Amino acid sequence: MKLQVFPTPGHTLDSVSVKVVTKEGVCVIAGDTFEKMEDLEDESIWKEAGSDSEELQKKSREHILSIADIIVPGHGPSFKNPSKLKKN
């Protein structure tokens, strides 16, 4: 198993996420960069939760979606990345 901590500014400017590479795939513990799975369809969920920089948070979210198979949000159960499921 490999771990990597990387910056994901947005919700707060000093936010970080943790990437865990396992045999099941790449899991990102994203904290409040993602509130819960439903904010993939409804951006108002994460925006209304508060963001120091919506622009940076959106970029952080896009980066996580580009690398993660599984996302652990700040307020809800982990979920499989729908954009990765479509590619498989």
Side-chain angles (χ1 to χ4, degrees), residues 1-2 20-27 69-70:
M1 180 173 9
K2 294 182 182 179
V20 183
V21 179
T22 71
K23 57 186 168 183
E24 289 82 26
V26 175
C27 177
D69 298 304
I70 301 164

Side-chain angles (χ1 to χ4, degrees), residues 64-75:
I64 290 169
L65 288 168
S66 76
I67 64 169
D69 298 304
I70 301 164
I71 298 170
V72 180
H75 301 276

Side-chain angles (χ1 to χ4, degrees), residues 43-82:
E43 287 188 346
S44 70
I45 294 170
W46 66 265
K47 289 179 178 179
E48 290 174 4
S51 181
D52 285 350
S53 172
E54 288 182 8
E55 180 182 343
L56 289 175
Q57 188 164 350
K58 187 169 185 170
K59 287 180 183 179
S60 294
R61 290 165 58 88
E62 289 169 354
H63 175 67
I64 290 169
L65 288 168
S66 76
I67 64 169
D69 298 304
I70 301 164
I71 298 170
V72 180
H75 301 276
S78 62
F79 59 91
K80 292 185 179 177
N81 180 350

